[in-house]
Amino acid sequence: MGPLLLIVGGLLGLLFWSREGACTEGETIESALQLSLTQFDADGTLYAACQKLHAAQELAAFYRNRGYAPAWLEGSRSSPWAKELVRFLQEEAPNHGLNPEDYHLACLSALLSTLDTAQQAQRPVSPCLLAHLDLVLSDAFLILFSHLSSGRVNPSALDPQWIAHAHQADLLAGLEEFLSHRDLLRTLRHFAPPDEDYWRLVAAVPAQRKIAAFEDPWPTVPEAPSLRPGQKDPRVSTIRRQLYLLGDYRTQPTKSSDIYDAELVKAVRRFQERHGLGADGVVGKKTAEALNVSPRDRLLQMLANLERRRWLPRSWGDRYLVVNTADYSLTAYEHGTSVLKMRVIVGGSANSTPVFSEVMRYVELNPYWNVPKSIAADELLPKIRKDPSFLERHHYELLAASGDRIARADPARIDWQGVRPENFPGRIRQLPGPWNALGRVKFVLPNRFSVYLHDTPERHLFQRPHRALSHGCIRLEKPLDLALFVLQDDPRWTRESLEKRIASGKHHMIPLLKPCTVHLLYITAWVSEDGTVHFRQDIYDRDKLLVRALKLERLALQATSTGRDPHPGG
């Protein structure tokens, strides 16, 4: 919405003051504020300047505690800090993925314009108008910083597999502090996520808007066999154009050749690297799909990830692990410094890995694998029916409850053709050993999803760029390195002692002397320290769900073309 429409829209709203939150001329601003804060509708709604106030109860307490003195005025004039808040809403809030319309921007622009016009004409301004301006500004502040602090939507309401840490900010105290120091950037840094990952992503949004606005519709690469270096193909000019606009092809395209030359191969590899693709320079199906995602959709992806970062905990712990399932990666941190990185395998689309934070409690060497009932019934049962020796050959045992104890049962005595999921005879457990699905090491963090981190005998799978292959748990590329990291406070455990205990083949549990928090995240867009923007595939369609919930499409469409080449950088 342009500035003129904002003002006109707000002025139209002011025509209805007589219906909601009315106050009379001749009152002081203080009395107008006090009266306005009593004009609740039958449903408990409070209006000011025909705007529904979202934080009505908080506003009542705030103004009562200050004796109904206005917060945003200097006499009968709007203050510089009031105009700074409105400027932020109009110019910078969209870079955080926030829609200015959610914070009364049209109304505030109209009120400030009305006030400025009256002062220029040296006409008196009614206390009612000033009171309503103050109320709407305070409401905008409280809602804005509530969203910056903990997000606009509840992630658990969107996705039952997403457990966020609610960050409870003292908004009224923050408002009082802001009115004392009047430094909006300081307040932003206090309420918004403090980590630089958030702020680097915010800073990258304007450049992405320019790219999204410059070329519409986005040129797309037709589906065809893989394009390899040195080949001649009509798709080359389109790819070169795409990568120039995205910043991966560093010079203005002047070539009309259809030869896939070394310069373009270098740009493709750069693109593949920052999109989590195998950086081999071959434009195959996955690379073409990533190239064909429009900059506007990438902008939406960035804005959705800003919201996700507002859901993250503000304290990570002294020693912690971050697993980004969308990136198939694990990073171990000690006092905020990365000390270990590895590739991981995560849940497939039908068994998505959840998002939560929990404390790791212990490490298991040579673990048993207690096969979940769903896997036993859906995957193992058909194999057992075909081959009664399947369980024995793959080192499984059948356990049956007998009173208060668990006993081994003989699979040969079971009529497997008559077994159904609902009458499955006991449970299946895989014995420790190199064949075990959990490998040799398991890391346990009690959680309601029964998700844990573990080794795997299928080491070759880590060579794949796309590794959404598990039933939900996290398979580790370097399990022994991780064991040494989490057990570093226990002098008994060295690489040699761990290897020796594993070689024994016996199941062994090791409690952690110092807790290690594990954060399972889902981040599909970020900016590295060198300024490179990275994207990952939305393997669980969580971006789409969040974009719809936040109504980000309207926000992205506000980008306007400069009419010039965006001159993108790396």
Side-chain angles (χ1 to χ4, degrees):
M1 182 183 294
L4 180 59
L5 289 177
L6 287 172
I7 293 172
V8 170
L11 287 172
L12 290 173
L14 298 182
L15 297 176
F16 299 95
W17 278 16
S18 59
R19 186 180 70 84
E20 304 288 0
C23 55
T24 59
E25 300 298 337
E27 297 172 330
T28 63
I29 299 173
E30 290 79 4
S31 62
L33 277 166
Q34 185 173 9
L35 178 60
S36 297
L37 287 164
T38 65
Q39 305 297 310
F40 287 90
D41 274 6
D43 62 357
T45 303
L46 186 67
Y47 288 85
C50 216
Q51 293 290 299
K52 178 180 178 180
L53 300 180
H54 303 289
Q57 299 300 325
E58 292 83 354
L59 290 172
F62 170 71
Y63 282 100
R64 183 169 59 250
N65 290 339
R66 58 190 290 112
Y68 298 98
W72 302 89
L73 302 173
E74 290 183 325
S76 60
R77 294 178 177 272
S78 61
S79 65
W81 56 95
K83 293 180 179 178
E84 175 63 11
L85 177 62
V86 174
R87 184 205 63 78
F88 174 84
L89 292 175
Q90 188 161 6
E91 299 177 12
E92 297 184 39
N95 296 335
H96 292 258
L98 302 176
N99 193 330
E101 296 175 7
D102 293 337
Y103 312 102
H104 314 303
L105 179 59
C107 178
L108 288 171
S109 298
L111 287 168
L112 290 173
S113 177
T114 301
L115 184 57
D116 289 344
T117 299
Q119 289 168 348
Q120 290 171 8
Q122 297 185 336
R123 293 197 304 268
V125 181
S126 76
C128 183
L129 185 149
L130 295 171
H132 281 227
L133 171 61
D134 215 80
L135 284 170
V136 177
L137 281 164
S138 293
D139 193 62
F141 178 98
L142 294 175
I143 303 306
L144 169 67
F145 285 101
S146 171
H147 291 170
L148 282 169
S149 174
S150 54
R152 284 181 55 204
V153 300
N154 178 358
S156 298
L158 280 180
D159 185 348
Q161 284 201 306
W162 198 299
I163 308 300
H165 287 257
H167 176 63
Q168 299 297 329
D170 191 336
L171 297 168
L172 290 180
L175 177 53
E176 290 285 8
E177 290 175 9
F178 169 72
L179 295 174
S180 175
H181 58 67
R182 298 170 184 173
D183 185 340
L184 190 62
L185 179 59
R186 177 176 164 183
T187 303
L188 283 169
R189 284 283 181 170
H190 175 75
F191 280 101
D195 60 279
E196 289 306 311
D197 289 332
Y198 177 84
W199 292 96
R200 284 197 297 268
L201 192 54
V202 169
V205 167
Q208 187 68 25
R209 284 189 187 280
K210 289 183 180 180
I211 299 172
F214 183 77
E215 190 101 356
D216 188 20
W218 180 245
T220 57
V221 179
E223 185 175 347
S226 295
L227 175 62
R228 300 181 182 278
Q231 289 183 335
K232 184 175 182 180
D233 194 291
R235 294 174 293 171
V236 165
S237 60
T238 299
I239 295 171
R240 186 179 287 115
R241 174 68 176 165
Q242 286 178 322
L243 292 178
Y244 172 70
L245 291 170
L246 296 174
D248 298 290
Y249 193 89
R250 301 297 173 82
T251 58
Q252 176 79 40
T254 57
K255 300 178 181 179
S256 58
S257 171
D258 286 342
I259 300 296
Y260 185 24
D261 59 24
E263 187 178 10
L264 184 55
V265 171
K266 184 178 179 181
V268 167
R269 285 178 173 157
R270 186 180 295 115
F271 175 87
Q272 290 173 325
E273 180 69 27
R274 66 187 189 87
H275 285 77
L277 304 165
D280 56 6
V282 177
V283 182
K285 181 180 178 182
K286 290 291 185 181
T287 298
E289 287 175 351
L291 283 167
N292 288 342
V293 176
S294 72
R296 178 178 172 274
D297 286 338
R298 293 300 190 194
L299 173 61
L300 293 173
Q301 195 172 352
M302 293 168 74
L303 300 181
N305 278 273
L306 284 169
E307 173 74 358
R308 283 200 186 106
R309 289 198 173 275
R310 293 189 282 265
W311 299 338
L312 298 182
R314 297 303 169 89
S315 177
W316 296 81
D318 292 335
R319 181 179 299 162
Y320 59 95
L321 310 178
V322 172
V323 177
N324 183 1
T325 55
D327 186 43
Y328 312 114
S329 68
L330 178 149
T331 307
Y333 292 88
E334 189 83 41
H335 301 294
T337 301
S338 170
V339 297
L340 176 65
K341 299 190 75 170
M342 69 184 72
R343 290 173 284 191
V344 301
I345 293 168
V346 303
S349 58
N351 302 280
S352 57
T353 298
V355 175
F356 63 86
S357 297
E358 283 293 348
V359 176
M360 184 185 295
R361 300 296 181 184
Y362 55 92
V363 176
E364 285 188 51
L365 305 181
N366 297 313
Y368 288 91
W369 180 38
N370 293 297
V371 182
K373 289 182 178 180
S374 58
I375 297 178
D378 298 339
E379 299 182 25
L380 300 189
L381 181 57
K383 297 176 182 179
I384 299 170
R385 287 172 179 161
K386 290 182 180 179
D387 178 9
S389 67
F390 174 86
L391 290 177
E392 182 179 359
R393 289 191 302 103
H394 290 86
H395 309 280
Y396 290 103
E397 58 183 4
L398 181 65
L399 301 179
S402 177
D404 294 331
R405 66 187 184 89
I406 300 295
R408 292 188 63 180
D410 184 357
R413 294 178 176 273
I414 306 295
D415 176 14
W416 291 103
Q417 301 304 318
V419 172
R420 298 290 180 269
E422 57 272 16
N423 68 346
F424 203 93
R427 61 186 177 89
I428 295 175
R429 180 171 75 170
Q430 192 174 34
L431 299 171
W435 50 76
N436 191 282
L438 306 186
R440 296 293 202 155
V441 191
K442 174 183 175 182
F443 302 83
V444 181
L445 46 149
N447 62 86
R448 75 183 201 190
F449 301 104
S450 298
V451 164
Y452 41 85
L453 287 62
H454 65 88
D455 183 17
T456 174
E458 299 181 296
R459 313 303 302 170
H460 64 284
L461 296 177
F462 290 106
Q463 302 307 313
R464 298 186 183 182
H466 298 275
R467 298 187 293 276
L469 305 168
S470 81
H471 289 90
C473 289
I474 310 297
R475 304 180 196 171
L476 303 166
E477 179 189 23
K478 305 173 185 177
L480 202 58
D481 289 352
L482 184 59
L484 289 170
F485 173 75
V486 300
L487 296 172
Q488 61 184 279
D489 301 291
D490 193 334
R492 296 176 301 165
W493 299 109
T494 63
R495 185 176 294 272
E496 292 73 22
S497 62
L498 285 171
E499 289 175 342
K500 183 177 180 180
R501 185 58 64 96
I502 288 171
S504 74
K506 295 181 180 180
H507 177 245
H508 186 73
M509 296 179 62
I510 309 172
L512 269 61
L513 297 183
K514 182 177 179 180
C516 180
T517 305
V518 181
H519 304 280
L520 302 187
L521 309 183
Y522 187 80
I523 302 295
T524 63
W526 69 91
V527 180
S528 56
E529 291 183 9
D530 66 0
T532 301
V533 183
H534 293 260
F535 295 102
R536 293 297 182 267
Q537 183 182 3
D538 182 19
I539 56 176
Y540 301 148
D541 288 333
R542 288 170 173 165
D543 284 347
K544 294 178 182 178
L545 189 66
L546 185 53
V547 165
R548 287 196 297 268
L550 295 171
K551 301 178 181 178
L552 290 175
E553 293 91 344
R554 288 186 302 167
L555 195 60
L557 288 172
Q558 292 177 8
T560 56
S561 173
T562 62
R564 299 164 49 197
D565 193 299
H567 297 294

